[in-house]
Amino acid sequence: MSPATLVVAAGRPERTQGAPVNPPVILSSTFVSQGVPGAGEPLYGRMDAATWHPFEETLGTLEGSVHPALVYASGMAAIAAALSLVPPGGRLVLPRHAYQVTLGYAQDLRDRLGIDVTLVDIADTDAVVTAVREPRAASMLWIETPTNPMLEVADLPVLVEAAHAAGALVGVDNTFATPLVQRPFEHGADVVVHSVTKYLAGHTDVVLGAALADDDDLHARLHAYRTLHGSIAGPFEVWLALRGLRTLALRVERAQANAAELARRLAEHPAVAEVRHPSLPADPGHERAARLMDGFGAILGLRPHGGPDAADALVAALRLWVPATSLGGVESTLERRRRFATESLTVPEDLLRMSVGIEDVEDLWRDLAQALDSL
Ligand SMILES: *Cc1c(COP(=O)(O)O)cnc(C)c1O
């Protein structure tokens, strides 16, 4: 079945007479149990919760994994679980423009566990292929594609092959693309993570993460990490995320169409110095995205003429677009990323990251055009 059908049909209760169409939320920290518990028997809420399963099964199916996904308290909790697969003293190669908290966590691993951290331009395939081999083999190659916030597109199959040849695991943060647009397991990735907070939940009302692995041993290690660290999700969060996931196909389709149209119009506006979106034929990521992805995503990069002050003035002049961090909600949001001292210094100071929502594209454009004209 197509992903657009799976998001609606997967993770439903059995169809018996009188059964609910939606799975229930079970609010119980413990379950009746005596004697030696059998495998998979409900026991205690930190180990497992039936309310997680419909979401975990649906996301596992969407990503084409042989196992259900594992939900975590947040995207960062899922990333911490995935990066725990790098042994102390190992080598981690990751994009210099990865999500800034992922980069911060990698520095923490370097300081605490002696993990050697190498930052790369993930769009520079030759540089990444060299980095996974030299000066010594990497333990893990971490990939974001498109990257947050620079929208660089990686040559996923080539990088996975090179990493595996060097004996490295490959982890992919698939938050920006969603499994509707890109399924990293099809290209051989070992671990996939999501900030479910973003597109999968989609309504800016829940913080949640997920990690997936095809390999039995890796899946068991991610599961054990969650139980040992207690980085679990609450039942309401997972229920909300499943409710949001039901409309993922419609939301992504609309948001992507809006983003491509706005990118095209922005590129022609005299107040715009640069617009980044892989849908634009002149974008450096266009050819790869067209070859490897089922769409171009709904995040734009915008640099107005006039530097960071003009970027801030543009944000302040908007009435419909919401000035806020985060992304992937139904509402359009934007922010100047370098307002954070922790953002990578190679991200231009005037870059606005725009998360395009599902509003009417003409309303979004009218608001942008009046703000650009006011600069
Ligand atoms: C937001 C985000 C994260 C972190 O997820 P949280 O749910 O906020 O912990 C990780 N990766 C990417 C690409 C993100 O956008």
Side-chain angles (χ1 to χ4, degrees), residues 38-54:
E41 196 180 295
L43 194 65
Y44 183 59
R46 184 169 28 74
M47 300 163 123
D48 198 15
T51 306
W52 300 340
H53 297 169

Side-chain angles (χ1 to χ4, degrees), residues 74-76 79 99 144 148 173 175-176 195 197-198 208 327:
S74 66
M76 275 316 301
I79 289 168
Y99 177 63
E144 272 183 35
N148 180 2
D173 183 336
T175 300
F176 264 39
S195 172
T197 312
K198 313 295 168 53
L208 192 72
L327 55 99

Side-chain angles (χ1 to χ4, degrees), residues 77 87 204 231 263 279 360-361:
T204 324
S231 51
S279 70
D360 186 288
V361 71

Side-chain angles (χ1 to χ4, degrees), residues 221-264:
R221 287 166 70 186
L222 293 173
H223 190 286
Y225 180 99
R226 180 175 74 179
T227 307
L228 289 170
H229 291 77
S231 51
I232 59 161
F236 280 126
E237 280 72 11
V238 184
W239 184 84
L240 274 172
L242 182 65
R243 182 183 163 118
L245 197 65
R246 298 299 185 207
T247 55
L248 180 70
L250 280 176
R251 288 186 286 107
V252 166
E253 186 183 315
R254 171 66 163 256
Q256 288 196 126
N258 282 355
E261 179 60 20
L262 293 176
R264 199 181 59 74

Side-chain angles (χ1 to χ4, degrees), residues 58-133:
T58 305
L59 182 55
T61 304
L62 285 173
E63 285 288 6
S65 178
V66 300
H67 294 293
L70 293 159
V71 289
Y72 293 79
S74 66
M76 275 316 301
I79 289 168
L83 294 183
S84 77
L85 300 171
V86 180
R91 241 189 110 225
L92 172 63
V93 176
L94 73 172
R96 62 182 176 157
H97 297 138
Y99 177 63
Q100 61 171 335
V101 188
T102 303
L103 290 172
Y105 190 63
Q107 302 311 329
D108 181 60
L109 291 174
R110 182 195 62 193
D111 296 344
R112 284 190 299 116
L113 302 179
I115 287 172
D116 179 1
V117 174
T118 304
L119 300 182
V120 289
D121 172 358
I122 206 71
D124 184 344
T125 303
D126 291 344
V128 182
V129 168
T130 304
V132 295
R133 295 181 188 144

Side-chain angles (χ1 to χ4, degrees), residues 268-345:
E268 284 163 15
H269 196 285
V272 170
E274 189 186 1
V275 53
R276 286 291 297 266
H277 189 248
S279 70
L280 295 170
D283 191 272
H286 177 74
E287 179 276 326
R288 265 183 210 158
R291 181 161 50 85
L292 299 173
M293 294 162 61
D294 292 336
F296 299 106
I299 308 289
L300 302 179
L302 176 67
R303 302 176 67 191
H305 284 298
D309 290 345
D312 287 339
L314 175 64
V315 171
L318 290 165
R319 293 291 165 263
L320 175 60
W321 290 73
V322 184
T325 197
S326 196
L327 55 99
V330 290
E331 63 286 290
S332 295
T333 61
L334 85 172
E335 68 175 339
R336 186 170 69 80
R337 286 300 294 179
R338 285 288 298 280
R339 72 197 177 100
F340 298 112
T342 45
E343 183 55 275
S344 306
L345 299 178

